[in-house]
Amino acid sequence: MYLPLYVEPQDVAEATTLMDTFGPKAGMEAAERAVQSRNVGNHLHYCRWRQIERLIIMLSAHTTLGTIH
C-alpha cells in the first residue's frame, strides 16, 4: 500500500468532508474523482485525488500505520 507522500491541509479537510458525506464509500468517491480527472487530462487533480484516497484509507484504519516514535 502506498501512503500519502505529500498532503496539504486542504487535502485533509477534503478527506474528512468526503468521509462525513460518503461514510465507508469515501475512498471510492475519491477514486472516482481521480478517474474523472484523468479522463479529462488533468493529471494534477488526478494525483491529488489519489493522495486523498490514500489519506482516507489511513484515517479510517483502526490500527497504527507506519513507525511509532
Side-chain angles (χ1 to χ4, degrees):
M1 176 175 141
Y2 296 102
L3 300 177
L5 302 174
Y6 180 74
V7 179
E8 295 182 5
Q10 67 261 22
D11 296 338
V12 176
E14 188 71 44
T16 55
T17 300
L18 286 176
M19 291 172 73
D20 291 342
T21 305
F22 294 98
K25 297 189 184 252
M28 290 299 298
E29 178 64 23
E32 288 176 15
R33 292 180 186 197
V35 169
Q36 290 172 353
S37 295
R38 184 187 64 202
N39 288 344
V40 296
N42 191 335
H43 66 280
L44 295 177
H45 281 279
Y46 168 77
C47 294
R48 179 176 173 264
W49 283 114
R50 290 289 292 152
Q51 292 287 16
I52 291 173
E53 177 187 1
R54 293 178 186 123
L55 180 60
I56 289 170
I57 292 168
M58 279 184 53
L59 292 174
S60 62
H62 295 290
T63 186
T64 303
L65 302 172
T67 306
I68 301 173
H69 297 273

